[in-house]
Amino acid sequence: MKIRVLGSGAGGGFPQWNCNCHNCHRLRHHTMNGKARTQSSIAVSTDDKNWLLFNTSPDIRAQLEAFPAIQPKEGIRDTGIKAIMLIDSQIDHTTGMLMLREGKPLDVYCTDMVKQDLTTGFPLFTMLEHYCTINHHPVPVDGSSFTIPAIADLRFYTQALKSKAPPYSPHRHDPHEGDNIGVIIEQISTGKKVFYSPGLGEIEPHVMAAMQDVDCLLVDGTFWTNDEMCTQNISHKKAREIGHLPQYGAGGMIEVLSGVAKARKILIHINNTNPILDDDSEQRKILDAAGIEVAYDGLEIDL
Ligand code: MLT
Ligand code: MN
Ligand code: ZN
């Protein structure tokens, strides 16, 4: 299977439009060695032709224009996107649906909780019915597997994660299973597996078991430390409070990944405050030494 990283940044992207933090400032002024990043999305295919889109970022238009394999090939209207899977209902993962309104019926796979958010607090699905049909396919949260007819050689297993529904959600302060999922994507013909989870607040035993079982990890790389937005005077929000396990320190993602033997380890959904965006940083050297990569827009993984 091929995995294309369409967007490797967290909400806001890098640089963020109104941000003058150490990273955003230096990237804009060409005084740091690093790459700009669009907001969080990947695409997966087993034939380079039919693609499953994970999440629809507000940057989707530029992401698709930068990726010829997914562009129109035949007829007056065409796309390589055969289905969409939403892993939560966060703004950075869903707003791009509006940009897909010219599409034919859109086959969207998401949990019932995500569908509920997208028909109430942020009624994207309801709005889009006036432009195109949304065929909602419910995604199970009990670990059972399912397939998607248009991309027949892939099988999916989901993991319910401990995280939070978005700030706009009617049940923001009342967590439900299915607010946020991690997904194991398996190619049936080869048995190769990847675990995709850009928002991981806590590594529960079932999540660790999933991580041990796969060939490649694309996991939460949002923050280096729990208080990085506080110390930079950007926000009072701590990483763990908003559902992201920081990388550095006791119990952090680096320590978690040191317990994973076989998988290629890649961090994704990097926030613009994270020092690992500087390719020459000390923090990047720590990741290098731990065998952990940092995703960038356009990265392609062949499994
Ligand atoms: C998050 O994952 O916490 C988001 O990136 C927040 C956002 O989209 O503003
Ligand atoms: Mn996000
Ligand atoms: Zn910034």
Side-chain angles (χ1 to χ4, degrees):
M1 84 176 103
K2 183 174 279 182
I3 299 145
R4 163 87 178 196
V5 175
L6 296 173
S8 54
F14 179 50
Q16 179 176 309
W17 69 283
N18 65 345
C19 192
N20 206 17
C21 75
H22 191 52
N23 282 339
C24 291
H25 181 87
R26 286 183 306 145
L27 192 82
R28 278 198 196 94
H29 293 86
H30 311 288
T31 55
M32 93 176 222
N33 185 17
K35 293 181 170 71
R37 282 166 167 86
T38 62
Q39 294 167 80
S40 187
S41 175
I42 64 169
V44 183
S45 176
T46 55
D47 60 5
D48 272 336
K49 209 173 146 222
N50 298 296
W51 295 85
L52 170 63
L53 192 61
F54 277 89
N55 303 321
T56 54
S57 149
D59 301 318
I60 190 165
R61 203 184 152 279
Q63 294 172 346
L64 301 180
E65 280 307 306
F67 184 33
I70 210 164
Q71 293 168 7
K73 298 283 186 305
E74 289 157 17
I76 189 70
R77 290 282 168 95
D78 187 33
T79 177
I81 302 171
K82 294 297 162 359
I84 298 164
M85 196 181 299
L86 304 174
I87 59 144
D88 59 32
S89 52
Q90 293 274 2
I91 284 180
D92 57 342
H93 286 157
T94 57
T95 317
M97 293 279 301
L98 292 171
M99 264 56 81
L100 301 180
R101 66 191 176 283
E102 298 92 352
K104 289 199 182 124
L106 298 173
D107 282 291
V108 182
Y109 291 74
C110 66
T111 65
D112 288 334
M113 291 322 296
V114 167
K115 184 188 175 194
Q116 206 181 94
D117 281 346
L118 297 179
T119 47
T120 57
F122 184 22
L124 267 182
F125 286 2
T126 321
M127 288 166 64
L128 282 166
E129 287 297 341
H130 296 276
Y131 300 84
C132 60
T133 305
I134 306 279
N135 294 325
H136 170 244
H137 305 267
V139 161
V141 283
D142 61 0
S144 60
S145 71
F146 63 100
T147 54
I148 294 179
I151 299 146
D153 195 19
L154 294 180
R155 180 160 46 216
F156 307 90
Y157 307 81
T158 58
Q159 305 274 317
L161 303 178
K162 277 217 173 104
S163 201
K164 274 186 161 175
Y168 73 77
S169 170
H171 63 278
R172 163 77 163 174
H173 302 292
D174 174 24
H176 287 69
E177 268 209 340
D179 287 339
N180 193 290
I181 56 168
V183 186
I184 296 171
I185 310 157
E186 177 183 22
Q187 183 165 8
I188 298 167
S189 60
T190 63
K192 294 282 184 191
K193 290 181 200 159
V194 58
F195 180 58
Y196 176 57
S197 181
L200 259 181
E202 204 181 309
I203 312 294
E204 297 170 88
H206 70 285
V207 174
M208 194 62 195
M211 289 171 62
Q212 295 286 9
D213 185 45
V214 300
D215 303 282
C216 181
L217 294 169
L218 280 167
V219 290
D220 193 333
T222 314
F223 298 112
W224 182 252
T225 52
N226 195 37
D227 62 356
E228 108 192 8
M229 291 204 294
C230 316
T231 55
Q232 297 188 46
N233 289 323
I234 285 172
S235 164
H236 59 275
K237 290 178 186 163
K238 301 243 169 79
R240 289 175 191 268
E241 282 164 18
I242 58 169
H244 298 292
L245 183 70
Q247 281 118 49
Y248 192 64
M253 189 62 89
I254 299 170
E255 191 181 293
V256 169
L257 293 180
S258 72
V260 175
K262 89 169 178 192
R264 181 173 170 188
K265 301 162 187 173
I266 307 174
L267 299 176
I268 198 161
H269 187 276
I270 323 294
N271 197 56
N272 54 68
T273 50
N274 192 327
I276 64 175
L277 288 169
D278 180 343
D279 293 345
D280 299 329
S281 61
E282 288 307 310
Q283 291 83 355
R284 252 328 242 285
K285 292 191 184 110
I286 294 173
L287 292 183
D288 288 347
I292 301 171
E293 300 170 54
V294 180
Y296 54 87
D297 292 16
L299 170 66
E300 289 189 354
I301 301 153
D302 279 300
L303 270 186

